[in-house]
PDB file of all heavy atoms in Angstrom:
ATOM      1  N   LEU A   1     186.289  49.942 214.510  1.00  0.00           N
ATOM      2  CA  LEU A   1     186.994  50.331 215.720  1.00  0.00           C
ATOM      3  C   LEU A   1     187.758  51.612 215.416  1.00  0.00           C
ATOM      4  O   LEU A   1     188.470  51.684 214.410  1.00  0.00           O
ATOM      5  CB  LEU A   1     187.963  49.242 216.158  1.00  0.00           C
ATOM      6  CG  LEU A   1     187.400  47.831 216.300  1.00  0.00           C
ATOM      7  CD1 LEU A   1     188.459  46.895 216.864  1.00  0.00           C
ATOM      8  CD2 LEU A   1     186.159  47.821 217.158  1.00  0.00           C
ATOM      9  N   VAL A   2     187.619  52.594 216.265  1.00  0.00           N
ATOM     10  CA  VAL A   2     188.214  53.906 216.013  1.00  0.00           C
ATOM     11  C   VAL A   2     189.442  54.081 216.899  1.00  0.00           C
ATOM     12  O   VAL A   2     189.321  54.170 218.130  1.00  0.00           O
ATOM     13  CB  VAL A   2     187.200  55.024 216.286  1.00  0.00           C
ATOM     14  CG1 VAL A   2     187.831  56.379 216.009  1.00  0.00           C
ATOM     15  CG2 VAL A   2     185.947  54.825 215.423  1.00  0.00           C
ATOM     16  N   GLU A   3     190.602  54.136 216.266  1.00  0.00           N
ATOM     17  CA  GLU A   3     191.860  54.275 216.984  1.00  0.00           C
ATOM     18  C   GLU A   3     192.347  55.707 216.926  1.00  0.00           C
ATOM     19  O   GLU A   3     192.097  56.429 215.957  1.00  0.00           O
ATOM     20  CB  GLU A   3     192.912  53.352 216.368  1.00  0.00           C
ATOM     21  CG  GLU A   3     192.532  51.889 216.386  1.00  0.00           C
ATOM     22  CD  GLU A   3     193.446  51.065 215.526  1.00  0.00           C
ATOM     23  OE1 GLU A   3     194.426  51.634 214.993  1.00  0.00           O
ATOM     24  OE2 GLU A   3     193.199  49.869 215.382  1.00  0.00           O
ATOM     25  N   SER A   4     193.105  56.076 217.950  1.00  0.00           N
ATOM     26  CA  SER A   4     193.720  57.402 217.973  1.00  0.00           C
ATOM     27  C   SER A   4     194.926  57.365 218.889  1.00  0.00           C
ATOM     28  O   SER A   4     195.108  56.418 219.663  1.00  0.00           O
ATOM     29  CB  SER A   4     192.720  58.453 218.446  1.00  0.00           C
ATOM     30  OG  SER A   4     192.268  58.159 219.754  1.00  0.00           O
ATOM     31  N   GLY A   5     195.764  58.394 218.788  1.00  0.00           N
ATOM     32  CA  GLY A   5     196.869  58.554 219.720  1.00  0.00           C
ATOM     33  C   GLY A   5     198.242  58.279 219.162  1.00  0.00           C
ATOM     34  O   GLY A   5     199.239  58.498 219.858  1.00  0.00           O
ATOM     35  N   GLY A   6     198.333  57.802 217.937  1.00  0.00           N
ATOM     36  CA  GLY A   6     199.653  57.570 217.365  1.00  0.00           C
ATOM     37  C   GLY A   6     200.360  58.867 217.041  1.00  0.00           C
ATOM     38  O   GLY A   6     199.789  59.958 217.144  1.00  0.00           O
ATOM     39  N   GLY A   7     201.634  58.750 216.663  1.00  0.00           N
ATOM     40  CA  GLY A   7     202.384  59.939 216.297  1.00  0.00           C
ATOM     41  C   GLY A   7     203.871  59.692 216.321  1.00  0.00           C
ATOM     42  O   GLY A   7     204.329  58.556 216.340  1.00  0.00           O
ATOM     43  N   LEU A   8     204.608  60.792 216.311  1.00  0.00           N
ATOM     44  CA  LEU A   8     206.067  60.766 216.319  1.00  0.00           C
ATOM     45  C   LEU A   8     206.562  61.182 217.694  1.00  0.00           C
ATOM     46  O   LEU A   8     206.121  62.202 218.242  1.00  0.00           O
ATOM     47  CB  LEU A   8     206.612  61.723 215.253  1.00  0.00           C
ATOM     48  CG  LEU A   8     208.123  61.941 215.215  1.00  0.00           C
ATOM     49  CD1 LEU A   8     208.844  60.650 214.870  1.00  0.00           C
ATOM     50  CD2 LEU A   8     208.459  63.041 214.217  1.00  0.00           C
ATOM     51  N   VAL A   9     207.477  60.396 218.248  1.00  0.00           N
ATOM     52  CA  VAL A   9     208.006  60.685 219.571  1.00  0.00           C
ATOM     53  C   VAL A   9     209.476  60.301 219.608  1.00  0.00           C
ATOM     54  O   VAL A   9     209.908  59.407 218.870  1.00  0.00           O
ATOM     55  CB  VAL A   9     207.203  59.926 220.649  1.00  0.00           C
ATOM     56  CG1 VAL A   9     207.362  58.435 220.508  1.00  0.00           C
ATOM     57  CG2 VAL A   9     207.565  60.389 222.047  1.00  0.00           C
ATOM     58  N   GLN A  10     210.230  60.971 220.443  1.00  0.00           N
ATOM     59  CA  GLN A  10     211.639  60.629 220.596  1.00  0.00           C
ATOM     60  C   GLN A  10     211.791  59.406 221.503  1.00  0.00           C
ATOM     61  O   GLN A  10     210.928  59.117 222.342  1.00  0.00           O
ATOM     62  CB  GLN A  10     212.403  61.798 221.187  1.00  0.00           C
ATOM     63  CG  GLN A  10     212.602  62.963 220.228  1.00  0.00           C
ATOM     64  CD  GLN A  10     213.516  64.026 220.788  1.00  0.00           C
ATOM     65  OE1 GLN A  10     213.632  64.200 222.000  1.00  0.00           O
ATOM     66  NE2 GLN A  10     214.193  64.752 219.901  1.00  0.00           N
ATOM     67  N   ALA A  11     212.878  58.717 221.328  1.00  0.00           N
ATOM     68  CA  ALA A  11     213.176  57.572 222.182  1.00  0.00           C
ATOM     69  C   ALA A  11     213.143  57.999 223.645  1.00  0.00           C
ATOM     70  O   ALA A  11     213.646  59.074 223.996  1.00  0.00           O
ATOM     71  CB  ALA A  11     214.532  56.991 221.832  1.00  0.00           C
ATOM     72  N   GLY A  12     212.530  57.137 224.467  1.00  0.00           N
ATOM     73  CA  GLY A  12     212.360  57.459 225.878  1.00  0.00           C
ATOM     74  C   GLY A  12     211.051  58.152 226.197  1.00  0.00           C
ATOM     75  O   GLY A  12     210.686  58.277 227.377  1.00  0.00           O
ATOM     76  N   GLY A  13     210.348  58.566 225.172  1.00  0.00           N
ATOM     77  CA  GLY A  13     209.088  59.271 225.361  1.00  0.00           C
ATOM     78  C   GLY A  13     207.911  58.329 225.545  1.00  0.00           C
ATOM     79  O   GLY A  13     208.081  57.103 225.628  1.00  0.00           O
ATOM     80  N   SER A  14     206.728  58.922 225.607  1.00  0.00           N
ATOM     81  CA  SER A  14     205.506  58.163 225.869  1.00  0.00           C
ATOM     82  C   SER A  14     204.414  58.544 224.878  1.00  0.00           C
ATOM     83  O   SER A  14     204.377  59.674 224.367  1.00  0.00           O
ATOM     84  CB  SER A  14     205.000  58.434 227.287  1.00  0.00           C
ATOM     85  OG  SER A  14     205.939  58.031 228.258  1.00  0.00           O
ATOM     86  N   LEU A  15     203.543  57.591 224.627  1.00  0.00           N
ATOM     87  CA  LEU A  15     202.327  57.810 223.858  1.00  0.00           C
ATOM     88  C   LEU A  15     201.221  56.973 224.469  1.00  0.00           C
ATOM     89  O   LEU A  15     201.493  55.927 225.087  1.00  0.00           O
ATOM     90  CB  LEU A  15     202.501  57.407 222.397  1.00  0.00           C
ATOM     91  CG  LEU A  15     203.286  58.318 221.465  1.00  0.00           C
ATOM     92  CD1 LEU A  15     203.467  57.654 220.101  1.00  0.00           C
ATOM     93  CD2 LEU A  15     202.590  59.657 221.307  1.00  0.00           C
ATOM     94  N   ARG A  16     199.994  57.433 224.264  1.00  0.00           N
ATOM     95  CA  ARG A  16     198.838  56.661 224.721  1.00  0.00           C
ATOM     96  C   ARG A  16     197.900  56.445 223.543  1.00  0.00           C
ATOM     97  O   ARG A  16     197.392  57.412 222.961  1.00  0.00           O
ATOM     98  CB  ARG A  16     198.105  57.391 225.832  1.00  0.00           C
ATOM     99  CG  ARG A  16     197.011  56.563 226.497  1.00  0.00           C
ATOM    100  CD  ARG A  16     196.107  57.460 227.310  1.00  0.00           C
ATOM    101  NE  ARG A  16     195.272  56.730 228.243  1.00  0.00           N
ATOM    102  CZ  ARG A  16     194.143  57.209 228.750  1.00  0.00           C
ATOM    103  NH1 ARG A  16     193.719  58.420 228.413  1.00  0.00           N
ATOM    104  NH2 ARG A  16     193.439  56.491 229.604  1.00  0.00           N
ATOM    105  N   LEU A  17     197.671  55.189 223.212  1.00  0.00           N
ATOM    106  CA  LEU A  17     196.750  54.843 222.137  1.00  0.00           C
ATOM    107  C   LEU A  17     195.370  54.548 222.722  1.00  0.00           C
ATOM    108  O   LEU A  17     195.260  54.005 223.824  1.00  0.00           O
ATOM    109  CB  LEU A  17     197.250  53.621 221.362  1.00  0.00           C
ATOM    110  CG  LEU A  17     198.653  53.690 220.793  1.00  0.00           C
ATOM    111  CD1 LEU A  17     198.953  52.418 219.999  1.00  0.00           C
ATOM    112  CD2 LEU A  17     198.842  54.913 219.930  1.00  0.00           C
ATOM    113  N   SER A  18     194.354  54.900 221.967  1.00  0.00           N
ATOM    114  CA  SER A  18     192.974  54.611 222.361  1.00  0.00           C
ATOM    115  C   SER A  18     192.265  53.888 221.226  1.00  0.00           C
ATOM    116  O   SER A  18     192.568  54.108 220.051  1.00  0.00           O
ATOM    117  CB  SER A  18     192.212  55.903 222.675  1.00  0.00           C
ATOM    118  OG  SER A  18     192.797  56.609 223.729  1.00  0.00           O
ATOM    119  N   CYS A  19     191.329  53.058 221.588  1.00  0.00           N
ATOM    120  CA  CYS A  19     190.525  52.349 220.592  1.00  0.00           C
ATOM    121  C   CYS A  19     189.098  52.259 221.119  1.00  0.00           C
ATOM    122  O   CYS A  19     188.851  51.626 222.156  1.00  0.00           O
ATOM    123  CB  CYS A  19     191.097  50.966 220.324  1.00  0.00           C
ATOM    124  SG  CYS A  19     190.076  49.932 219.264  1.00  0.00           S
ATOM    125  N   ALA A  20     188.175  52.849 220.417  1.00  0.00           N
ATOM    126  CA  ALA A  20     186.773  52.845 220.821  1.00  0.00           C
ATOM    127  C   ALA A  20     185.955  51.961 219.898  1.00  0.00           C
ATOM    128  O   ALA A  20     186.130  51.986 218.681  1.00  0.00           O
ATOM    129  CB  ALA A  20     186.219  54.269 220.785  1.00  0.00           C
ATOM    130  N   THR A  21     185.073  51.180 220.489  1.00  0.00           N
ATOM    131  CA  THR A  21     184.162  50.355 219.708  1.00  0.00           C
ATOM    132  C   THR A  21     182.797  51.015 219.735  1.00  0.00           C
ATOM    133  O   THR A  21     182.258  51.279 220.803  1.00  0.00           O
ATOM    134  CB  THR A  21     184.049  48.931 220.293  1.00  0.00           C
ATOM    135  OG1 THR A  21     183.500  49.009 221.606  1.00  0.00           O
ATOM    136  CG2 THR A  21     185.404  48.260 220.368  1.00  0.00           C
ATOM    137  N   PRO A  22     182.231  51.306 218.581  1.00  0.00           N
ATOM    138  CA  PRO A  22     180.962  52.024 218.546  1.00  0.00           C
ATOM    139  C   PRO A  22     179.757  51.164 218.895  1.00  0.00           C
ATOM    140  O   PRO A  22     178.702  51.674 219.180  1.00  0.00           O
ATOM    141  CB  PRO A  22     180.870  52.500 217.100  1.00  0.00           C
ATOM    142  CG  PRO A  22     181.672  51.515 216.337  1.00  0.00           C
ATOM    143  CD  PRO A  22     182.781  51.072 217.247  1.00  0.00           C
ATOM    144  N   GLU A  23     179.938  49.871 218.856  1.00  0.00           N
ATOM    145  CA  GLU A  23     178.833  48.984 219.130  1.00  0.00           C
ATOM    146  C   GLU A  23     179.057  48.266 220.465  1.00  0.00           C
ATOM    147  O   GLU A  23     180.121  48.321 221.049  1.00  0.00           O
ATOM    148  CB  GLU A  23     178.683  47.945 218.004  1.00  0.00           C
ATOM    149  CG  GLU A  23     178.587  48.506 216.620  1.00  0.00           C
ATOM    150  CD  GLU A  23     177.243  49.117 216.347  1.00  0.00           C
ATOM    151  OE1 GLU A  23     176.305  48.821 217.112  1.00  0.00           O
ATOM    152  OE2 GLU A  23     177.130  49.891 215.380  1.00  0.00           O
ATOM    153  N   THR A  24     178.043  47.539 220.907  1.00  0.00           N
ATOM    154  CA  THR A  24     178.163  46.799 222.173  1.00  0.00           C
ATOM    155  C   THR A  24     178.790  45.440 221.909  1.00  0.00           C
ATOM    156  O   THR A  24     178.155  44.395 222.106  1.00  0.00           O
ATOM    157  CB  THR A  24     176.793  46.653 222.845  1.00  0.00           C
ATOM    158  OG1 THR A  24     175.897  46.039 221.901  1.00  0.00           O
ATOM    159  CG2 THR A  24     176.245  48.003 223.258  1.00  0.00           C
ATOM    160  N   ILE A  25     180.031  45.464 221.447  1.00  0.00           N
ATOM    161  CA  ILE A  25     180.763  44.226 221.168  1.00  0.00           C
ATOM    162  C   ILE A  25     182.098  44.237 221.881  1.00  0.00           C
ATOM    163  O   ILE A  25     183.086  43.724 221.400  1.00  0.00           O
ATOM    164  CB  ILE A  25     180.997  44.046 219.649  1.00  0.00           C
ATOM    165  CG1 ILE A  25     181.742  45.253 219.078  1.00  0.00           C
ATOM    166  CG2 ILE A  25     179.682  43.830 218.911  1.00  0.00           C
ATOM    167  CD1 ILE A  25     182.375  44.991 217.744  1.00  0.00           C
ATOM    168  N   PHE A  26     182.123  44.832 223.036  1.00  0.00           N
ATOM    169  CA  PHE A  26     183.369  45.068 223.747  1.00  0.00           C
ATOM    170  C   PHE A  26     183.809  43.787 224.442  1.00  0.00           C
ATOM    171  O   PHE A  26     183.422  43.516 225.572  1.00  0.00           O
ATOM    172  CB  PHE A  26     183.159  46.213 224.737  1.00  0.00           C
ATOM    173  CG  PHE A  26     184.415  46.865 225.216  1.00  0.00           C
ATOM    174  CD1 PHE A  26     185.442  47.131 224.340  1.00  0.00           C
ATOM    175  CD2 PHE A  26     184.549  47.230 226.538  1.00  0.00           C
ATOM    176  CE1 PHE A  26     186.595  47.752 224.764  1.00  0.00           C
ATOM    177  CE2 PHE A  26     185.693  47.847 226.987  1.00  0.00           C
ATOM    178  CZ  PHE A  26     186.724  48.111 226.102  1.00  0.00           C
TER     179      PHE A  26
END
């Protein structure tokens, strides 16, 4: 599973994480 979108943010901020599955096991 390939994750992305993490990082450093200040309190009150926003982030969006994504996770892709390369196979048909969703």
